[in-house]
Amino acid sequence: MYFIGYDIGSSSIKAALLDADSGRCVASATSPSKEMPILVQHPSWAEQDPESWWQEVIHATQLLRQQFSFDAALVKGIGIAYQMHGLVCVDKEQQVLRPAIIWCDSRAVEIGNDAFTALGDKYCLSHLLNSPGNFTASKLRWVQENEPQVYERIHKIMLPGDFIAMKLTGDACTTVSGLSEGTFWDFSTNSVSKKLLDHYNIDQNLLSAIVPTFGVQGELTEKAASILGLVAGTPVTYRAGDQPNNAFSLNVLQPGEAATTGGTSGVVYAVHDKNAFDHHSRVNAFVHVNNEEEHVRNGVLMCLNGTGIANSWLKKMIGEISYPDMNQEAATAPVGAAGLQVFPFGNGAERILENKSIGATVTNLNFNTHSRAHMLRAVQEGIVFGLNYGMDIMAEMELDIHRVRAGHTNMFLSPVFREAFANTANVVIELYNTDGAQGAARGAAVGAGYVNLKEAFHGMECLSVIEPDAALQTQFRDAYGNWLNGLRSLLH
């Protein structure tokens, strides 16, 4: 028996085939081999063609088959993870009306800020747990104001994962967790926020029907099954945004547990058992995958947009060098990079900076002192310091994080990054042999009723544990303190 998981990212689409009996991933694929393009028609915009995600889902599924021959009739469920906060608009024929406005697009910041003022911080924070900010609801309002001819044709709006589920099943539906990530959800009433919709003059009928995170959400159509080489009627049984799903994939389900990622953007996501919020809305709370009315499970998320993208930008600037070689060279520079500081805020408005878009900055560069190695380390440390800045905000919400889990991938492949993270934040890091696609496949197994939440992680291995080093902690905390002073100067 098998389960398939898809992770719909902004860089690529990943697919995983999970053997249910062993709990192990027997095949995985990524498509395309190079990063998918992000359309930037204006500064601060970021769009992608949703149909391109579907084409890469098809290709990734073909690659799975090339890796491992399996009987499609033995696939008993499909799970979907996806890039959060995007907006896809379709008409009555389920045709895409415009490119998707994706997570790192900043065009709706002012719309959200105005709504925060108009609705009042007391309402927004106590009911939405967030400012409307740059989330999906505000992006939809932007379409309404700036592209009325498109808005008038919208039949349903959806998140990227909802779109892929629709391509699989023909059904337009979403989850409570998904509605919360778009700031459509009222945590106080456990219902769609009519007050926010009324403020934005959005018809609630544009929202898709609600289905459970775990459970049958639709069945594979004949058309989709034929294209993918699967069996019609195979159920889609799990769906979650990439960060809730990443936490799930790492068995982060209970209060105080935390997961982290270091992909294009970087995230720390911790589970809270209260409807808590940051008074400045610098970090965000969403409904976690295992939330129940009688047992609140919210995911508190801090995001640093400029993470892996900062490191990949530097790689492109350098030229012919591999990531392992970059990591090895960065390790030759001292902790603190001899005073060289990088503030990696060059990928749109940063939530932890109260939606400011200040751009990336390099300070204290000395042509006589600093080498390429210093710059390589300074970028990785700057990313870590940005993440730690967000964790300091989370601590103000009474989230006590001492241990975090991550997949052994992306920035966590770097010894310099791991060392800086553990010692700056004073946390133990556990690295696992998993990723978002594998997590989605495990979620599908839960949703299909094959395993429960306690059994879902059979076969997952902890690859390594990184503990803080008392001798290094002082050095990293000093470097972080200097970086904080530099950030304060940039913000004032």
Side-chain angles (χ1 to χ4, degrees):
M1 188 179 299
Y2 301 104
F3 293 91
I4 292 178
Y6 295 110
D7 186 4
I8 314 304
S10 51
S11 299
S12 63
I13 306 302
K14 296 178 181 177
L17 182 69
L18 184 78
D19 180 284
D21 293 331
S22 68
R24 295 183 180 277
C25 178
V26 294
S28 62
T30 299
S31 184
S33 57
K34 294 183 178 181
E35 292 184 2
M36 289 189 296
I38 293 177
L39 309 175
V40 183
Q41 299 186 45
H42 299 281
S44 81
W45 287 26
E47 300 179 336
Q48 287 184 317
D49 177 9
E51 290 291 346
S52 70
W53 306 331
W54 175 237
Q55 293 305 312
E56 300 306 339
V57 166
I58 296 169
H59 188 227
T61 309
Q62 293 170 345
L63 293 175
L64 281 185
R65 284 195 164 282
Q66 293 173 18
Q67 280 189 38
F68 186 86
S69 179
F70 61 93
D71 182 351
L74 295 178
V75 175
K76 299 302 180 182
I78 297 171
I80 301 169
Y82 59 89
Q83 49 171 301
M84 298 171 70
H85 316 309
L87 172 67
V88 181
C89 304
V90 301
D91 63 17
K92 289 182 179 180
E93 284 70 47
Q94 298 187 344
Q95 298 300 305
V96 174
L97 292 171
R98 67 169 330 280
I101 303 176
I102 66 171
W103 60 275
C104 54
D105 186 297
S106 302
R107 75 185 72 184
V109 168
E110 290 307 315
I111 289 173
N113 289 344
D114 290 345
F116 190 50
T117 300
L119 292 169
D121 57 358
K122 183 177 180 180
Y123 170 79
C124 290
L125 297 177
S126 62
H127 287 258
L128 308 177
L129 303 191
N130 302 293
S131 160
N134 193 39
F135 294 120
T136 312
S138 300
K139 291 169 180 172
L140 180 57
R141 175 64 173 178
W142 183 93
V143 173
Q144 184 187 68
E145 291 181 346
N146 294 274
E147 298 175 350
Q149 72 284 1
V150 171
Y151 186 83
E152 289 172 3
R153 295 175 59 199
I154 297 174
H155 176 61
K156 293 295 178 184
I157 64 103
M158 53 193 64
L159 299 159
D162 301 336
F163 175 77
I164 295 301
M166 183 190 73
K167 297 295 285 188
L168 293 170
T169 68
D171 298 327
C173 53
T174 192
T175 63
V176 169
S177 182
L179 290 169
S180 75
E181 75 181 67
T183 65
F184 291 109
W185 193 250
D186 188 318
F187 286 77
S188 295
T189 63
N190 281 317
S191 63
V192 171
S193 173
K194 189 174 184 302
K195 188 168 183 176
L196 178 70
L197 293 181
D198 288 346
H199 175 75
Y200 278 161
N201 193 29
I202 293 171
D203 183 350
Q204 187 169 335
N205 289 322
L206 296 184
L207 304 182
S208 299
I210 298 174
V211 294
T213 296
F214 298 99
V216 176
Q217 303 175 348
E219 295 181 345
L220 208 57
T221 64
E222 291 280 359
K223 180 180 179 181
S226 175
I227 292 171
L228 295 172
L230 299 175
V231 175
T234 303
V236 173
T237 54
Y238 169 80
R239 188 183 327 177
D242 52 10
Q243 297 310 323
N245 175 72
N246 180 66
F248 168 74
S249 71
L250 293 162
N251 195 12
V252 171
L253 296 168
Q254 301 307 324
E257 297 176 345
T260 184
T261 62
T264 302
S265 63
V267 163
V268 178
Y269 180 103
V271 180
H272 212 317
D273 59 359
K274 298 180 177 63
N275 287 338
F277 53 85
D278 170 48
H279 286 279
H280 300 286
S281 199
R282 296 165 296 176
V283 300
N284 307 109
F286 307 112
V287 175
H288 195 31
V289 296
N290 62 329
N291 180 71
E292 299 174 352
E293 283 194 36
E294 61 274 19
H295 296 104
V296 171
R297 295 292 182 270
N298 291 331
V300 179
L301 181 154
M302 66 77 37
C303 179
L304 177 67
N305 288 348
T307 302
I309 194 172
N311 207 39
S312 66
W313 177 87
L314 182 59
K315 181 177 183 293
K316 292 172 186 174
M317 293 301 103
I318 292 173
E320 295 297 322
I321 187 172
S322 67
Y323 284 117
D325 287 344
M326 289 171 65
N327 296 335
Q328 186 174 3
E329 188 171 341
T332 65
V335 174
L340 181 63
Q341 295 178 337
V342 171
F343 301 87
F345 303 119
N347 194 27
E350 292 285 1
R351 194 71 165 175
I352 56 173
L353 304 182
E354 298 184 51
N355 278 327
K356 293 183 175 69
S357 185
I358 66 172
T361 304
V362 178
T363 62
N364 300 331
L365 175 63
N366 187 308
F367 298 132
N368 298 307
T369 301
H370 296 126
S371 66
R372 189 170 79 169
H374 290 94
M375 179 61 77
L376 288 165
R377 174 178 275 275
V379 166
Q380 294 200 28
E381 288 186 349
I383 294 166
V384 167
F385 295 159
L387 291 168
N388 196 73
Y389 181 78
M391 292 177 71
D392 286 347
I393 297 169
M394 296 169 78
E396 296 173 11
M397 297 171 60
E398 300 180 356
L399 276 167
D400 191 16
I401 302 171
H402 293 291
R403 185 177 296 266
V404 299
R405 296 172 183 159
H408 189 246
T409 186
N410 297 322
M411 295 301 300
F412 283 94
L413 294 173
S414 167
V416 168
F417 185 84
R418 298 193 302 255
E419 179 185 77
F421 193 109
N423 287 287
T424 304
N426 189 27
V427 296
V428 176
I429 302 171
E430 298 176 355
L431 298 179
Y432 288 84
N433 64 327
T434 192
D435 59 24
Q438 290 186 47
R442 292 183 189 278
V446 174
Y450 184 79
V451 293
N452 60 34
L453 285 173
K454 291 183 179 179
E455 300 164 342
F457 306 98
H458 170 62
M460 190 172 77
E461 297 178 1
C462 181
L463 300 178
S464 61
V465 177
I466 300 93
E467 300 196 17
D469 183 325
L472 290 172
Q473 276 190 277
T474 299
Q475 296 179 57
F476 278 106
R477 295 302 295 186
D478 286 347
Y480 175 58
N482 292 332
W483 184 92
L484 270 181
N485 289 333
L487 178 61
R488 293 185 185 110
S489 296
L490 290 173
L491 293 174
H492 297 315

